[in-house]
Amino acid sequence: MSLKTARILTGLYFVAMTYFVTWPGLLPFSRIRPMVLGLPFSLAWIASWIAGSVLVLYLLDIVEKRFRDAGSDG
Amino acid sequence: MEQWVVVSIIIAAYLAVTLTIGLLAGRKSTDTVAGYVAADRSFGLVAMYFVTGASVFSAFAFLGGPGWAYSRGAAAFYILAYGAIGMAPFYWMGPRAAALGRKFGFVTQAQLVVGRFPSRNLSAMIAVLSLVAFVPYVTVQMRGAGIVIEAVTDGHVPLWLGALIAYGIVIIYVLKSGAMAVGWTNTFQGIFMVVIAWTLGLYLPYRLYGGIGPMFEQIAEARPDLLVPPGLNASGDPWSWGAFSTLILVSAVGLMMWPHLFMKAFTAKDDDTLRRTVILFPTFQLFLIPVFLIGFAGVMFDGAPPSSDFILPYMILETHLPAVVVGLFCAGALSASMSTGDALLHASASVFVEDGVAKYKDLDERQQQRLMQVIVLVTGAIAYYFALDSESSLVLLLASAYGLISQLAPPVVAAMYWRRATTLGVVVGLLAGVATAFFFYMNPELKPYDMHEGILGLLVHIPVLIGASLLTKEQNADHIEEFFS
């Protein structure tokens, strides 16, 4: 994957996250059931976006590192 | 032996260990401003992770978070949501700021802004703004420490004395050892808090309700309004989506603008350390969930604490845990408070002296360090005064500070990324943003859609910065080139 694509995808993830944890993106998920691992759905929903962000940043780092090692800063 | 005596002994032991670590740490850094402020740019991944993590696990999250979960339900979820969003841009901004720091010798974020937009008045504005925002933040931490100690010692050690002892110790090691002490004590305290938070957060729901699921089932039955965002407001009525959403946004924007966090870009050993810290940062947000569970465990519990900020110590005491556990918990909560408070005191002094006083008066290294130590004491004293006096909740105190600190974002971003920005544009934008935020802070009933005053400030700030920059003469091309190459 090119550096630019990785950066755009990462940016999109965080834009989407911002949308889905605030109004109006959170509205459809602002409910109690189904409970996930004993947590109300809304809490599990927000927690999943946080967990996802660790993964997305980690993947971004792999791509960024490859380009840094190759000596170009993009 | 009575419970509160056992608890006090454990707390005393814990405080002694923290003080020792803090004092020993100082022997590792050089006796210079760069050593005191930026720990000689030497922090590795572990220290960086816990120093930034400690900002999440503050008294605000540790006591205020459960307090909100208990009294306002899902409103507390905002505390989880903003961290990951706010930290992500730092993956790129951090190393960029660090490179500029190495090139020009910056140790504070105002130096970075003023390096690009030369104006000592701008520097002083940023210093004053940071300091004004820091005071409520430190107040939150002190009050938190006092609350915990008062609650678990059955009032034998009152809030004023508890806060005084805990922060007396913080001030001693910050004065003595600077950034290095903050790094090492935070690592110790960070590990301690995470362990305590998970143990109790998982144990209490099991003990009281037979599990996390059954606990939420009971709450869903009796108080479903608590489990659906945006939750409730302070008076127990449904909260507005506008306030919930903009509080997430302003906290995300403000998060990395806190000088004690932004300055970590200058403390890190290398860029990879910074990047990995950003990647791992959201894990701290997840560590908070068990702490919230303790707050939720209080909802269906008979009896109520004197104020919702007391819910955590209240639950610990009312469930008759062994004294040793109570003591350890208390030390964990103190960790949360002190590890944030030390970083705040340290940063406020660094900023005030480096960016404020030193711009107007020539000081040598020794005088600068001396003055920083005086400021640590003064900030501590002011915050202490408010900590005893304060009526409002921990979370609300901090939310108001975010309105101010988020106004630093446009100047910092413009300095690093927008070539066409001008000094006048940045100054006028900052003034407009702060004035707007202040106006709506004083007149909350005028806020459109109940939006946070910090966001309203930014909505004025950014267009003014752009407009005024475009209307004024471009900066000298050589200057810009030097900054961007």
Side-chain angles (χ1 to χ4, degrees):
Chain A
M1 193 190 301
S2 82
L3 192 55
K4 203 170 172 191
T5 321
R7 286 181 177 175
I8 290 173
L9 286 177
T10 308
L12 283 178
Y13 178 85
F14 283 99
V15 171
M17 174 170 177
T18 310
Y19 176 79
F20 282 115
V21 301
T22 57
W23 185 89
L26 183 57
L27 283 174
F29 309 97
S30 177
R31 50 198 162 86
I32 301 174
R33 286 169 213 284
M35 291 202 185
V36 182
L37 298 170
L39 302 174
F41 189 81
S42 56
L43 178 53
W45 172 255
I46 293 171
S48 316
W49 279 99
I50 300 170
S53 71
V54 180
L55 184 70
V56 166
L57 286 171
Y58 175 72
L59 293 175
L60 169 76
D61 194 52
I62 293 178
V63 180
E64 291 253 354
K65 201 161 167 37
R66 207 165 59 217
F67 278 84
R68 274 200 303 278
D69 291 344
S72 70
D73 198 33
Chain B
M1 215 176 342
E2 278 191 74
Q3 165 148 327
W4 75 271
V5 179
V6 179
V7 171
S8 305
I9 293 171
I10 294 174
I11 296 171
Y14 163 80
L15 290 173
V17 173
T18 305
L19 181 61
T20 313
I21 295 176
L23 290 179
L24 288 179
R27 305 198 343 214
K28 293 183 66 175
S29 67
T30 59
D31 196 15
T32 58
V33 169
Y36 188 82
V37 177
D40 300 314
R41 307 186 197 278
S42 68
F43 281 0
L45 181 62
V46 176
M48 280 290 290
Y49 178 65
F50 283 107
V51 170
T52 39
S55 67
V56 178
F57 263 81
S58 60
F60 148 72
F62 216 87
L63 298 169
W68 268 41
Y70 165 71
S71 63
R72 303 179 57 169
F77 297 169
Y78 103 81
I79 298 171
L80 301 175
Y82 77 78
I85 302 169
M87 189 71 174
F90 217 60
Y91 183 90
W92 297 290
M93 280 173 71
R96 175 120 195 198
L100 290 167
R102 282 190 297 269
K103 185 170 176 186
F104 296 101
F106 302 144
V107 287
T108 71
Q109 90 211 81
Q111 286 172 350
L112 184 138
V113 172
V114 176
R116 169 76 200 280
F117 308 112
S119 155
R120 64 179 189 179
N121 292 333
L122 177 60
S123 182
M125 274 164 64
I126 296 176
V128 170
L129 186 72
S130 311
L131 214 60
V132 172
F134 268 139
V135 169
Y137 205 160
V138 180
T139 300
V140 168
Q141 308 306 328
M142 282 189 179
R143 204 173 138 69
I147 284 176
V148 168
I149 296 181
E150 174 174 311
V152 300
T153 57
D154 270 348
H156 284 93
V157 182
L159 198 153
W160 69 267
L161 184 58
L164 191 63
I165 296 172
Y167 274 79
I169 287 173
V170 167
I171 284 175
I172 291 172
Y173 68 67
V174 170
L175 286 183
K176 188 84 183 54
S177 310
M180 211 49 123
V182 173
W184 283 103
T185 52
N186 284 8
T187 306
F188 165 66
Q189 291 167 324
I191 296 169
F192 202 86
M193 298 184 271
V194 169
V195 173
I196 294 284
W198 278 84
T199 318
L200 286 176
L202 298 178
Y203 172 76
L204 279 182
Y206 274 93
R207 161 89 180 263
L208 296 171
Y209 306 97
I212 296 167
M215 174 177 86
F216 279 117
E217 287 291 349
Q218 282 192 35
I219 300 175
E221 199 63 40
R223 298 285 309 278
D225 50 328
L226 280 178
L227 298 185
V228 194
L232 307 177
N233 66 15
S235 37
D237 300 317
W239 206 22
S240 71
W241 276 108
F244 178 84
S245 304
T246 52
L247 191 49
I248 291 178
L249 292 179
V250 79
S251 307
V253 174
L255 176 66
M256 287 319 295
M257 290 304 130
W258 282 104
H260 64 291
L261 287 181
F262 192 91
M263 281 158 62
K264 293 298 168 290
F266 306 122
T267 347
K269 193 156 52 182
D270 53 46
D271 293 352
D272 272 345
T273 306
L274 264 179
R275 295 194 186 95
R276 289 198 196 113
T277 308
V278 175
I279 298 171
L280 289 173
F281 181 81
T283 56
F284 260 107
Q285 229 72 31
L286 296 175
F287 291 158
L288 274 181
I289 294 177
V291 186
F292 284 23
L293 296 182
I294 302 176
F296 279 116
V299 174
M300 305 301 294
F301 192 75
D302 288 330
S307 102
S308 61
D309 282 337
F310 279 83
I311 184 68
L312 203 58
Y314 178 81
M315 290 304 295
I316 305 292
L317 290 172
E318 290 300 307
T319 44
H320 304 291
L321 294 165
V324 177
V325 178
V326 176
L328 288 177
F329 151 76
C330 179
L334 282 180
S335 296
S337 154
M338 292 165 70
S339 63
T340 310
D342 58 8
L344 291 169
L345 285 170
H346 174 258
S348 65
S350 303
V351 167
F352 187 79
V353 173
E354 286 290 308
D355 305 329
V357 181
K359 294 285 167 193
Y360 294 88
K361 200 169 178 315
D362 267 334
L363 298 169
D364 62 34
E365 291 246 327
R366 185 122 295 283
Q367 288 169 314
Q368 285 196 23
Q369 270 185 296
R370 185 70 56 214
L371 190 58
M372 282 182 201
Q373 291 167 336
V374 173
I375 301 299
V376 167
L377 279 174
V378 173
T379 316
I382 297 173
Y384 182 67
Y385 172 78
F386 285 112
L388 301 187
D389 198 41
S390 172
E391 294 273 292
S392 55
S393 95
L394 297 179
V395 177
L396 284 179
L397 267 175
L398 191 60
S400 63
Y402 264 99
L404 283 177
I405 213 69
S406 60
Q407 303 306 320
L408 292 182
V412 168
V413 172
M416 289 199 284
Y417 293 99
W418 195 37
R419 287 167 186 255
R420 187 62 184 80
T422 66
T423 306
L424 190 72
V426 168
V427 170
V428 178
L430 186 58
L431 285 173
V434 171
T436 311
F438 185 73
F439 174 79
F440 284 106
Y441 178 70
M442 300 308 287
N443 303 283
E445 69 285 355
L446 297 178
K447 289 183 199 170
Y449 303 104
D450 209 12
M451 286 162 79
H452 192 283
E453 65 269 10
I455 291 295
L456 294 166
L458 288 175
L459 287 177
V460 174
H461 187 158
I462 296 167
V464 170
L465 189 160
I466 295 174
S469 289
L470 292 176
L471 287 175
T472 41
K473 194 168 151 288
E474 229 172 306
Q475 282 191 311
N476 181 312
D478 292 342
H479 173 69
I480 293 177
E481 214 36 62
E482 199 192 7
F483 218 78
F484 279 85
S485 62

